[in-house]
Amino acid sequence: MITYNEQIRTFKLDTPRTSYVMGIRDGGFLLNLYYGRRLPDDDLWALSNRLPSASFSPSDPDYTDFSTDVAPMEYPTNGRGDFRVSALSVRGADGSSVTDLRYVSHRMFRGKPDLPGLPHLYADDDSECETLEVTMRDPLTGVEAVLVYTAFEDCDVIAKHVRLTNRGGRTVKLERALSSCVDLPSMDFDLITLWGRHAKERQFERRPIARGLQGIRSKRGSSSHNHNPFAALAQTGATETTGEVYGFNLVYSGNFTLTAEVDHNASTRIVMGIDPSDFGWLLAPGETFVTPEAVHVFSADGLGGMSRVFHRCYGEHLIRGRWKTEKRPLLINSWEAAYFDFDTDKLISFAERARELGIEMLVMDDGWFGKRDNDRSSLGDWFVNEKKLDLSRLIDYVHSMGLKFGIWYEPEMISPDSDLYRAHPDWCVHVAGRTPSIARHQYVLDVSRPDVRENVYGQMREVLCRYPIDYVKWDFNRNLSEAGSALLPAERSGEFFHRFVLGTYELQDRLIRDFPALLLENCSGGGGRFDPGMLYYSPQIWASDNTDPIERLNIQFGTSLCYPASSMGAHVSPCRRTGYRTKGDVALWGTFGYELDPNDLSEEEREIIKEQVAEYHGYYELIRRGDLYRLICPWDNDFVSAWSFVSEDKREALVTLVRMRRQEETLLHLKLQGLDPDAFYTVEGTGERYSGALLMYAGVEMTGAAWDDGDSCKLHLIAE
Ligand code: DGJ
């Protein structure tokens, strides 16, 4: 619900348990007055009296009792006396980057507007949320900023983006155009972020914030393995289950910044949006630029509470289409089983064995097109390698067995050894006069160009129309360097990175519109583009090329900070670190599937896999619709990790514990969370009965059943 109190000129955006309050100050300054637990409406006036005092600070001569230097600014601009990190900086035709925004008007309406060309949260029904648009204007340049906020009524989420329009008479350049800023009157926070690299994505990092700047960004052209566009500010001492936590996530797949700055008054500003360092956007009179959307979550129930809000929100308001609700097929992927070394018969043998195990879809990974027998050629030549494959025979056979069929693409890339490159060498991302760098023997295809998109999409469309393909894995295996496009004039070169991302979004949008039954899975050398932008197009994303179940724990726990289980691509592979049971128990947390040669399995392994397939079906709804509780996180404990899924009605729970390393002396009483304390639960298999209260407050002993390095065990609880 959103209200505006005319008397005190204050907006209040309420979600079920949170409030976000803004005030219009004399002079038209828009202030960020409060974000946190839900407040009543009656005494909001008190919030605007809390400005710190300022000396040495510039003020508007008409409003000298106020300085942007110390005020909590809602959308801070550059050069007007606020010296902290700003959200907007516009270089006017006069060459100055001083930018000033003052309130003009506002409107409120039910529902949520779309962001043209950009991924965003959505509401199926206008009753699910309400939107506030606050229009601000820079009197000199005429730049208008419409700050667009949506407050959801079924989850504690506020989405925000900004529409910037040039209402002046001369072209200006946006040098910073961020999506959001939150100013909090405290520095008692830890900053939590997810760092990583290839095969080690989304590792948890927590550090106390300090005065000055701190934060994360990507300049790699994609959100990247290295930092996820997510950050949390956790009240000092907040834990998984207690304390106040703010979560921030940018719905974007390109260069981003998430920066926190603590000033001399110990107030903390956090801004997020497109990274300004390689950005510049010309805005001619009448033109509009729309920022990506930022998602804000507040929880008073610790990190776990924050994560569950993100999970519900993304399950309901981000993931779309048929596969949002329809059961997704359990797949086997050819990559770790065969790499580039396959032909029709080998894949048929995978499908036959997989079917015996109950697997529902065969995915043919990299290596089916052009002349691709290794990673040195053919990206861009998206036609079937008929020397290697009879694709019609393969798909017909796979379908005749009742399995679905999927295929791999890497549409935004081009190999120097490809027909496409030989025909169009200027179609790769490059800067004239500089040799483009190579990574994994490939260049990046310039999908900022409409003609390039038309070509690559045309090639994909031809294959997908010709063959009945049920699933596409969309990969992206390098970072961008020498970023430039032959079509962009010099003064627009700063637009390249964002135009590239918009090009990718357009391609994925066309794909899922033209083939609505297709299941799309994004991937980027594992989980290098695991972000909410990608989730808008594909309901699942391959989480990492690292399928070692112990290493996966850190990756999956980290990913779960804001992404739901249903989105997290997780497979059982031939990795020998643990047995199949642990591999299956860990992969069960995610989308679940296999990445191995099913011809190589022992009889015992086949039996275990059949049991896992049954478990996958049995727990499908619980894992996808239930609430996740991180019971013991690998960043808190070197020996054991544990998590559970609890159904929304608390009648069912699945608890999993993994022994990472043996620890001789202790039995551990694992305290469960999220159960009904008054209910009695029966343990499947043993028939033991425990109260929810006992399970949560005294705990349950599970380590005995997972004693050695790499062991795991599960507890399935059903309420009577
Ligand atoms: C990287 C992906 O993460 C892998 O799963 C696989 O698809 C390879 N690329 C293929 O080149």
Side-chain angles (χ1 to χ4, degrees):
M1 194 173 65
I2 301 182
T3 46
Y4 177 61
N5 182 329
E6 178 70 56
Q7 261 182 338
I8 53 171
R9 304 185 80 197
T10 299
F11 301 103
K12 182 160 177 276
L13 289 72
D14 288 326
T15 68
R17 291 172 297 178
T18 73
S19 295
Y20 185 101
V21 183
M22 292 180 282
I24 308 166
R25 173 111 197 165
D26 287 352
F29 300 100
L30 189 65
L31 305 192
N32 197 263
L33 294 180
Y34 174 79
Y35 185 29
R37 286 178 209 242
R38 190 154 171 173
L39 295 179
D41 295 341
D42 322 299
D43 46 4
L44 294 177
W45 57 267
L47 294 172
S48 49
N49 295 341
R50 301 175 164 205
L51 295 185
S53 61
S55 57
F56 258 73
S57 301
S59 290
D60 184 315
D62 292 333
Y63 307 98
T64 48
D65 60 336
F66 170 85
S67 172
T68 55
D69 187 14
V70 290
M73 301 305 293
E74 180 59 28
Y75 195 60
T77 56
N78 182 57
R80 268 301 253 180
D82 181 344
F83 302 98
R84 295 161 290 180
V85 57
S86 65
L88 182 70
S89 183
V90 179
R91 195 161 296 274
D94 59 0
S96 158
S97 65
V98 174
T99 311
D100 191 8
L101 286 179
R102 305 296 175 101
Y103 169 86
V104 176
S105 63
H106 70 268
R107 68 181 190 121
M108 294 180 298
F109 53 91
R110 293 225 56 95
K112 183 174 188 307
D114 286 350
L115 277 71
L118 281 165
H120 55 85
L121 300 185
Y122 66 89
D124 284 327
D125 191 298
D126 284 356
S127 65
E128 293 169 357
C129 57
E130 195 167 359
T131 295
L132 164 70
E133 292 189 349
V134 182
T135 300
M136 316 271 294
R137 179 83 58 92
D138 180 355
L140 184 66
T141 59
V143 167
E144 174 189 277
V146 181
L147 316 183
V148 186
Y149 304 82
T150 299
F152 284 85
E153 296 190 1
D154 58 352
C155 54
D156 290 311
V157 169
I158 290 174
K160 178 181 173 188
H161 71 277
V162 181
R163 264 193 332 260
L164 294 157
T165 302
N166 184 348
R167 303 264 179 230
R170 300 166 76 184
T171 296
V172 298
K173 188 174 200 175
L174 305 177
E175 293 186 335
R176 295 174 74 83
L178 303 194
S179 303
S180 170
C181 168
V182 176
D183 267 357
L184 298 165
S186 162
M187 64 176 286
D188 293 331
F189 295 115
D190 292 337
L191 178 66
I192 295 172
T193 55
L194 298 169
W195 70 277
R197 61 162 165 76
H198 176 237
K200 199 179 174 70
E201 295 87 341
R202 290 171 299 289
Q203 306 287 307
F204 182 88
E205 183 152 78
R206 180 170 184 160
R207 54 190 137 152
I209 55 166
R211 286 188 176 76
L213 287 167
Q214 48 248 285
I216 52 166
R217 69 175 182 185
S218 169
K219 294 179 65 181
R220 294 166 182 270
S222 67
S223 48
S224 89
H225 296 86
N226 306 66
H227 289 292
N228 197 264
F230 161 83
L233 283 175
Q235 190 182 35
T236 308
T239 66
E240 266 296 309
T241 51
T242 61
E244 298 191 345
V245 182
Y246 298 88
F248 307 102
N249 201 195
L250 191 68
V251 189
Y252 193 57
S253 311
N255 291 346
F256 72 88
T257 183
L258 255 156
T259 304
E261 182 168 12
V262 181
D263 72 2
H264 57 280
N265 286 317
S267 60
T268 303
R269 165 173 293 179
I270 185 156
V271 294
M272 60 182 142
I274 295 177
D275 185 55
S277 52
D278 285 317
F279 173 82
W281 196 276
L282 285 186
L283 211 55
E287 283 182 352
T288 296
F289 179 85
V290 180
T291 72
E293 186 162 76
V295 178
H296 309 69
V297 169
F298 170 82
S299 168
D301 302 322
L303 285 166
M306 173 203 71
S307 297
R308 287 185 288 279
V309 174
F310 273 116
H311 298 168
R312 287 244 168 260
C313 174
Y314 288 174
E316 278 307 312
H317 300 295
L318 179 65
I319 292 169
R320 310 174 286 164
R322 172 175 169 168
W323 298 103
K324 171 179 179 173
T325 47
E326 196 160 317
K327 194 166 175 194
R328 306 198 204 136
L330 197 173
L331 67 86
I332 185 163
N333 179 298
S334 66
W335 182 242
E336 288 199 42
Y339 296 102
F340 296 99
D341 179 21
F342 59 79
D343 58 18
T344 314
D345 289 336
K346 190 185 256 190
L347 293 177
I348 283 180
S349 81
F350 287 179
E352 284 174 333
R353 293 295 81 71
R355 179 172 172 266
E356 292 160 9
L357 299 169
I359 292 169
E360 300 165 314
M361 177 160 75
L362 173 72
V363 176
M364 175 176 67
D365 210 279
D366 194 354
W368 59 269
F369 51 92
K371 305 187 269 93
R372 186 133 164 127
D373 288 322
N374 53 46
D375 61 10
R376 291 176 174 268
S377 83
S378 303
L379 297 171
D381 296 347
W382 300 109
F383 48 83
V384 179
N385 179 349
E386 286 174 354
K387 280 204 191 126
K388 195 168 177 175
L389 267 186
D390 180 344
L391 192 53
S392 292
R393 178 163 80 87
L394 174 62
I395 299 181
D396 286 353
Y397 190 80
V398 168
H399 280 164
S400 75
M401 285 193 295
L403 267 66
K404 293 184 184 298
F405 183 81
I407 198 168
W408 179 95
Y409 276 99
E410 197 178 0
E412 300 140 280
M413 296 290 158
I414 181 165
S415 303
D417 179 9
S418 65
D419 294 349
L420 190 68
Y421 185 75
R422 283 181 282 275
H424 300 284
D426 60 328
W427 280 11
C428 81
V429 170
H430 70 285
V431 168
R434 296 195 189 277
T435 314
S437 303
I438 200 111
R440 208 197 185 202
H441 315 286
Q442 64 200 52
Y443 297 144
V444 182
L445 189 65
D446 182 3
V447 298
S448 74
R449 293 175 59 147
D451 53 346
V452 172
R453 291 201 294 275
E454 208 43 53
N455 178 293
V456 73
Y457 186 70
Q459 291 194 58
M460 291 178 78
R461 199 168 187 285
E462 207 171 304
V463 171
L464 295 172
C465 286
R466 179 132 158 236
Y467 301 97
I469 289 169
D470 306 294
Y471 160 109
V472 163
K473 177 175 171 186
W474 182 304
D475 209 341
F476 181 83
N477 281 302
R478 65 160 287 183
N479 297 144
L480 274 65
S481 56
E482 299 82 34
S485 169
L487 286 196
L488 275 182
E491 66 277 15
R492 288 193 179 273
S493 60
E495 299 178 13
F496 171 73
F497 276 111
H498 184 56
R499 287 188 183 277
F500 182 91
V501 178
L502 293 177
T504 299
Y505 289 152
E506 191 210 81
L507 283 170
Q508 296 209 352
D509 198 53
R510 282 179 80 175
L511 181 68
I512 59 173
R513 271 178 206 279
D514 288 353
F515 302 95
L518 192 80
L519 172 57
L520 180 63
E521 175 155 1
N522 266 292
C523 169
S524 170
R529 209 161 53 175
F530 203 120
D531 59 59
M534 289 284 109
L535 275 184
Y536 184 68
Y537 302 97
S538 68
Q540 56 194 55
I541 304 177
W542 181 225
S544 179
D545 278 347
N546 192 336
T547 48
D548 174 318
I550 302 300
E551 306 240 339
R552 267 272 174 164
L553 291 172
N554 271 302
I555 296 168
Q556 295 186 182
F557 271 83
T559 304
S560 78
L561 276 212
C562 62
Y563 304 107
S566 70
S567 68
M568 199 156 68
H571 296 168
V572 173
S573 80
C575 155
R576 300 209 176 278
R577 174 83 167 267
T578 72
Y580 272 85
R581 281 199 202 283
T582 304
K583 292 195 269 193
D585 286 348
V586 173
L588 208 53
W589 180 342
T591 56
F592 200 73
Y594 291 87
E595 187 113 359
L596 45 77
D597 183 343
N599 297 294
D600 288 346
L601 296 167
S602 68
E603 203 40 52
E604 192 196 342
E605 290 166 347
R606 288 167 57 79
E607 287 314 309
I608 296 176
I609 289 181
K610 282 184 194 164
E611 283 169 31
Q612 288 173 347
V613 169
E615 286 181 342
Y616 164 80
H617 293 296
Y619 299 133
Y620 189 92
E621 289 298 321
L622 176 59
I623 291 174
R624 274 144 200 89
R625 300 202 179 285
D627 283 317
L628 170 75
Y629 292 87
R630 289 182 293 261
L631 302 172
I632 306 180
C633 300
W635 50 79
D636 288 333
N637 189 307
D638 291 338
F639 301 96
V640 167
S641 289
W643 64 96
S644 68
F645 287 95
V646 179
S647 62
E648 234 183 318
D649 63 5
K650 301 182 185 295
R651 309 297 297 163
E652 187 184 3
L654 177 69
V655 187
T656 308
L657 179 143
V658 176
R659 166 79 70 177
M660 299 177 293
R661 263 198 294 142
R662 191 164 162 171
Q663 186 187 24
E664 293 299 346
E665 68 280 17
T666 34
L667 283 179
L668 182 138
H669 291 105
L670 179 67
K671 293 184 179 172
L672 306 190
Q673 295 171 31
L675 303 178
D676 175 354
D678 300 325
F680 270 82
Y681 294 84
T682 306
V683 178
E684 191 191 49
T686 68
E688 288 158 16
R689 270 179 94 240
Y690 301 107
S691 65
L694 182 127
L695 291 167
M696 292 195 291
Y697 311 145
V700 59
E701 210 300 298
M702 286 177 74
T703 44
W707 192 247
D708 277 321
D709 289 18
D711 281 356
S712 68
C713 62
K714 299 198 288 302
L715 209 63
H716 184 210
L717 302 168
I718 309 274
E720 290 168 1

Short mmCIF file of all heavy atoms in Angstrom, two decimals, residues 447-478:
data_model
loop_
_atom_site.label_atom_id
_atom_site.label_comp_id
_atom_site.label_asym_id
_atom_site.label_seq_id
_atom_site.Cartn_x
_atom_site.Cartn_y
_atom_site.Cartn_z
N VAL A 447 26.34 -8.19 -30.38
CA VAL A 447 24.88 -8.26 -30.42
C VAL A 447 24.23 -6.92 -30.08
O VAL A 447 23.00 -6.82 -29.98
CB VAL A 447 24.31 -9.39 -29.53
CG1 VAL A 447 24.80 -10.74 -29.99
CG2 VAL A 447 24.63 -9.16 -28.06
N SER A 448 25.04 -5.87 -29.93
CA SER A 448 24.41 -4.53 -29.84
C SER A 448 23.88 -4.13 -31.22
O SER A 448 23.07 -3.22 -31.32
CB SER A 448 25.42 -3.49 -29.33
OG SER A 448 26.36 -3.15 -30.34
N ARG A 449 24.33 -4.82 -32.27
CA ARG A 449 23.92 -4.45 -33.64
C ARG A 449 22.67 -5.23 -34.05
O ARG A 449 22.65 -6.46 -33.99
CB ARG A 449 25.03 -4.82 -34.63
CG ARG A 449 26.29 -4.03 -34.48
CD ARG A 449 27.36 -4.54 -35.40
NE ARG A 449 26.99 -4.49 -36.81
CZ ARG A 449 27.84 -4.27 -37.80
NH1 ARG A 449 29.12 -4.06 -37.53
NH2 ARG A 449 27.44 -4.26 -39.05
N PRO A 450 21.66 -4.53 -34.55
CA PRO A 450 20.44 -5.23 -34.98
C PRO A 450 20.72 -6.23 -36.12
O PRO A 450 20.14 -7.32 -36.13
CB PRO A 450 19.53 -4.11 -35.47
CG PRO A 450 20.09 -2.85 -34.93
CD PRO A 450 21.54 -3.06 -34.62
N ASP A 451 21.63 -5.90 -37.07
CA ASP A 451 21.87 -6.82 -38.18
C ASP A 451 22.53 -8.12 -37.69
O ASP A 451 22.23 -9.21 -38.17
CB ASP A 451 22.72 -6.16 -39.29
CG ASP A 451 24.02 -5.55 -38.77
OD1 ASP A 451 24.17 -5.40 -37.53
OD2 ASP A 451 24.90 -5.23 -39.60
N VAL A 452 23.40 -7.98 -36.70
CA VAL A 452 24.06 -9.18 -36.14
C VAL A 452 23.04 -10.04 -35.40
O VAL A 452 22.99 -11.26 -35.55
CB VAL A 452 25.22 -8.75 -35.21
CG1 VAL A 452 25.78 -9.94 -34.47
CG2 VAL A 452 26.31 -8.05 -36.03
N ARG A 453 22.18 -9.37 -34.65
CA ARG A 453 21.15 -10.12 -33.92
C ARG A 453 20.25 -10.87 -34.90
O ARG A 453 19.88 -12.02 -34.68
CB ARG A 453 20.30 -9.18 -33.06
CG ARG A 453 21.03 -8.58 -31.89
CD ARG A 453 20.06 -8.09 -30.83
NE ARG A 453 19.22 -6.99 -31.25
CZ ARG A 453 19.56 -5.71 -31.21
NH1 ARG A 453 20.75 -5.36 -30.76
NH2 ARG A 453 18.73 -4.76 -31.59
N GLU A 454 19.90 -10.18 -35.96
CA GLU A 454 19.02 -10.78 -36.96
C GLU A 454 19.66 -12.06 -37.53
O GLU A 454 19.01 -13.09 -37.66
CB GLU A 454 18.81 -9.77 -38.11
CG GLU A 454 17.53 -9.89 -38.84
CD GLU A 454 16.32 -10.11 -37.97
OE1 GLU A 454 16.10 -9.34 -37.02
OE2 GLU A 454 15.59 -11.10 -38.23
N ASN A 455 20.95 -11.97 -37.80
CA ASN A 455 21.64 -13.12 -38.36
C ASN A 455 21.68 -14.29 -37.37
O ASN A 455 21.29 -15.41 -37.69
CB ASN A 455 23.07 -12.73 -38.76
CG ASN A 455 23.85 -13.92 -39.31
OD1 ASN A 455 24.15 -14.87 -38.58
ND2 ASN A 455 24.14 -13.89 -40.60
N VAL A 456 22.13 -14.02 -36.17
CA VAL A 456 22.32 -15.13 -35.23
C VAL A 456 20.96 -15.70 -34.82
O VAL A 456 20.78 -16.93 -34.72
CB VAL A 456 23.20 -14.72 -34.02
CG1 VAL A 456 22.49 -13.82 -33.05
CG2 VAL A 456 23.69 -15.94 -33.28
N TYR A 457 19.97 -14.82 -34.66
CA TYR A 457 18.66 -15.34 -34.29
C TYR A 457 18.04 -16.13 -35.45
O TYR A 457 17.42 -17.18 -35.24
CB TYR A 457 17.71 -14.22 -33.85
CG TYR A 457 16.42 -14.81 -33.34
CD1 TYR A 457 16.41 -15.50 -32.14
CD2 TYR A 457 15.25 -14.73 -34.09
CE1 TYR A 457 15.25 -16.10 -31.69
CE2 TYR A 457 14.09 -15.33 -33.64
CZ TYR A 457 14.09 -16.01 -32.43
OH TYR A 457 12.95 -16.62 -31.99
N GLY A 458 18.26 -15.62 -36.66
CA GLY A 458 17.76 -16.33 -37.85
C GLY A 458 18.32 -17.75 -37.90
O GLY A 458 17.59 -18.71 -38.19
N GLN A 459 19.60 -17.86 -37.61
CA GLN A 459 20.22 -19.20 -37.63
C GLN A 459 19.61 -20.11 -36.55
O GLN A 459 19.33 -21.28 -36.78
CB GLN A 459 21.71 -19.09 -37.38
CG GLN A 459 22.51 -18.46 -38.49
CD GLN A 459 24.00 -18.74 -38.26
OE1 GLN A 459 24.41 -19.88 -38.19
NE2 GLN A 459 24.78 -17.68 -38.13
N MET A 460 19.41 -19.54 -35.38
CA MET A 460 18.83 -20.35 -34.28
C MET A 460 17.41 -20.77 -34.64
O MET A 460 16.99 -21.91 -34.44
CB MET A 460 18.79 -19.54 -32.98
CG MET A 460 20.13 -19.26 -32.38
SD MET A 460 20.00 -18.26 -30.88
CE MET A 460 19.49 -19.49 -29.69
N ARG A 461 16.68 -19.81 -35.17
CA ARG A 461 15.27 -20.05 -35.50
C ARG A 461 15.14 -21.18 -36.50
O ARG A 461 14.24 -22.03 -36.39
CB ARG A 461 14.70 -18.74 -36.05
CG ARG A 461 13.23 -18.66 -36.01
CD ARG A 461 12.73 -17.26 -36.29
NE ARG A 461 11.31 -17.25 -36.07
CZ ARG A 461 10.44 -17.79 -36.89
NH1 ARG A 461 10.85 -18.32 -38.02
NH2 ARG A 461 9.15 -17.79 -36.60
N GLU A 462 16.06 -21.17 -37.47
CA GLU A 462 15.97 -22.21 -38.49
C GLU A 462 16.09 -23.61 -37.87
O GLU A 462 15.32 -24.51 -38.17
CB GLU A 462 17.09 -21.99 -39.51
CG GLU A 462 16.75 -22.55 -40.87
CD GLU A 462 17.79 -22.12 -41.88
OE1 GLU A 462 18.01 -20.90 -42.01
OE2 GLU A 462 18.38 -23.03 -42.49
N VAL A 463 17.06 -23.75 -36.99
CA VAL A 463 17.25 -25.07 -36.34
C VAL A 463 16.05 -25.40 -35.46
O VAL A 463 15.53 -26.52 -35.49
CB VAL A 463 18.57 -25.07 -35.52
CG1 VAL A 463 18.68 -26.32 -34.66
CG2 VAL A 463 19.77 -24.93 -36.44
N LEU A 464 15.59 -24.41 -34.72
CA LEU A 464 14.51 -24.69 -33.77
C LEU A 464 13.17 -24.92 -34.46
O LEU A 464 12.28 -25.58 -33.92
CB LEU A 464 14.40 -23.55 -32.74
CG LEU A 464 15.64 -23.39 -31.84
CD1 LEU A 464 15.55 -22.13 -30.99
CD2 LEU A 464 15.82 -24.61 -30.93
N CYS A 465 13.02 -24.36 -35.68
CA CYS A 465 11.79 -24.63 -36.43
C CYS A 465 11.88 -25.99 -37.12
O CYS A 465 10.87 -26.69 -37.28
CB CYS A 465 11.56 -23.56 -37.50
SG CYS A 465 11.02 -22.00 -36.81
N ARG A 466 13.07 -26.33 -37.53
CA ARG A 466 13.24 -27.57 -38.29
C ARG A 466 13.17 -28.81 -37.40
O ARG A 466 12.64 -29.84 -37.80
CB ARG A 466 14.60 -27.48 -38.98
CG ARG A 466 14.96 -28.66 -39.78
CD ARG A 466 15.46 -28.21 -41.16
NE ARG A 466 16.26 -29.26 -41.73
CZ ARG A 466 17.49 -29.11 -42.14
NH1 ARG A 466 18.08 -27.93 -42.08
NH2 ARG A 466 18.14 -30.12 -42.65
N TYR A 467 13.71 -28.70 -36.19
CA TYR A 467 13.78 -29.86 -35.31
C TYR A 467 12.93 -29.60 -34.07
O TYR A 467 12.96 -28.48 -33.53
CB TYR A 467 15.22 -30.12 -34.86
CG TYR A 467 16.18 -30.36 -36.00
CD1 TYR A 467 16.95 -29.31 -36.50
CD2 TYR A 467 16.30 -31.61 -36.60
CE1 TYR A 467 17.83 -29.51 -37.55
CE2 TYR A 467 17.19 -31.82 -37.65
CZ TYR A 467 17.95 -30.76 -38.13
OH TYR A 467 18.82 -30.95 -39.17
N PRO A 468 12.23 -30.61 -33.60
CA PRO A 468 11.40 -30.41 -32.40
C PRO A 468 12.27 -30.43 -31.13
O PRO A 468 12.49 -31.48 -30.54
CB PRO A 468 10.42 -31.59 -32.44
CG PRO A 468 11.10 -32.64 -33.27
CD PRO A 468 12.09 -31.97 -34.17
N ILE A 469 12.73 -29.28 -30.74
CA ILE A 469 13.67 -29.16 -29.61
C ILE A 469 12.92 -28.58 -28.40
O ILE A 469 12.18 -27.61 -28.53
CB ILE A 469 14.87 -28.29 -30.03
CG1 ILE A 469 15.71 -29.10 -31.03
CG2 ILE A 469 15.69 -27.85 -28.84
CD1 ILE A 469 16.78 -28.34 -31.73
N ASP A 470 13.13 -29.22 -27.25
CA ASP A 470 12.32 -28.87 -26.08
C ASP A 470 13.03 -27.91 -25.12
O ASP A 470 12.39 -27.34 -24.23
CB ASP A 470 11.99 -30.15 -25.29
CG ASP A 470 11.34 -31.19 -26.17
OD1 ASP A 470 10.21 -30.94 -26.63
OD2 ASP A 470 11.97 -32.24 -26.44
N TYR A 471 14.35 -27.80 -25.27
CA TYR A 471 15.14 -27.08 -24.24
C TYR A 471 16.36 -26.48 -24.91
O TYR A 471 16.94 -27.10 -25.81
CB TYR A 471 15.52 -28.11 -23.18
CG TYR A 471 16.69 -27.79 -22.28
CD1 TYR A 471 16.48 -27.49 -20.93
CD2 TYR A 471 18.01 -27.84 -22.74
CE1 TYR A 471 17.56 -27.24 -20.07
CE2 TYR A 471 19.07 -27.59 -21.89
CZ TYR A 471 18.85 -27.29 -20.56
OH TYR A 471 19.91 -27.04 -19.72
N VAL A 472 16.73 -25.29 -24.48
CA VAL A 472 17.98 -24.68 -24.95
C VAL A 472 18.82 -24.28 -23.74
O VAL A 472 18.31 -23.65 -22.80
CB VAL A 472 17.70 -23.44 -25.83
CG1 VAL A 472 18.95 -22.56 -25.98
CG2 VAL A 472 17.21 -23.86 -27.22
N LYS A 473 20.08 -24.65 -23.78
CA LYS A 473 21.05 -24.15 -22.79
C LYS A 473 21.82 -23.03 -23.47
O LYS A 473 22.46 -23.25 -24.50
CB LYS A 473 21.98 -25.27 -22.36
CG LYS A 473 23.08 -24.84 -21.39
CD LYS A 473 23.86 -26.07 -20.93
CE LYS A 473 25.11 -25.72 -20.15
NZ LYS A 473 25.90 -26.92 -19.84
N TRP A 474 21.77 -21.82 -22.91
CA TRP A 474 22.34 -20.62 -23.54
C TRP A 474 23.59 -20.25 -22.74
O TRP A 474 23.51 -19.79 -21.62
CB TRP A 474 21.32 -19.50 -23.50
CG TRP A 474 21.70 -18.21 -24.12
CD1 TRP A 474 22.80 -17.44 -23.85
CD2 TRP A 474 20.98 -17.50 -25.13
NE1 TRP A 474 22.80 -16.31 -24.61
CE2 TRP A 474 21.69 -16.30 -25.41
CE3 TRP A 474 19.78 -17.74 -25.81
CZ2 TRP A 474 21.24 -15.36 -26.33
CZ3 TRP A 474 19.34 -16.79 -26.73
CH2 TRP A 474 20.08 -15.63 -26.99
N ASP A 475 24.74 -20.45 -23.36
CA ASP A 475 26.02 -20.29 -22.66
C ASP A 475 26.67 -18.95 -23.03
O ASP A 475 26.29 -18.30 -24.03
CB ASP A 475 26.92 -21.47 -23.06
CG ASP A 475 27.92 -21.86 -21.99
OD1 ASP A 475 28.19 -21.05 -21.10
OD2 ASP A 475 28.46 -22.98 -22.08
N PHE A 476 27.71 -18.57 -22.28
CA PHE A 476 28.39 -17.29 -22.49
C PHE A 476 29.75 -17.42 -21.81
O PHE A 476 29.85 -17.32 -20.60
CB PHE A 476 27.54 -16.19 -21.85
CG PHE A 476 28.08 -14.80 -21.98
CD1 PHE A 476 27.84 -14.05 -23.13
CD2 PHE A 476 28.81 -14.21 -20.95
CE1 PHE A 476 28.32 -12.75 -23.24
CE2 PHE A 476 29.28 -12.91 -21.05
CZ PHE A 476 29.04 -12.18 -22.20
N ASN A 477 30.78 -17.67 -22.63
CA ASN A 477 32.03 -18.17 -22.04
C ASN A 477 33.23 -17.23 -22.07
O ASN A 477 34.36 -17.71 -22.11
CB ASN A 477 32.42 -19.49 -22.72
CG ASN A 477 31.60 -20.64 -22.18
OD1 ASN A 477 31.62 -20.89 -20.98
ND2 ASN A 477 30.85 -21.30 -23.03
N ARG A 478 33.00 -15.94 -22.08
CA ARG A 478 34.16 -15.06 -21.88
C ARG A 478 33.68 -13.66 -21.47
O ARG A 478 32.52 -13.30 -21.67
CB ARG A 478 35.07 -14.98 -23.10
CG ARG A 478 34.46 -14.36 -24.33
CD ARG A 478 35.55 -13.88 -25.31
NE ARG A 478 36.22 -12.68 -24.81
CZ ARG A 478 37.17 -12.03 -25.48
NH1 ARG A 478 37.58 -12.49 -26.68
NH2 ARG A 478 37.72 -10.94 -24.99
#
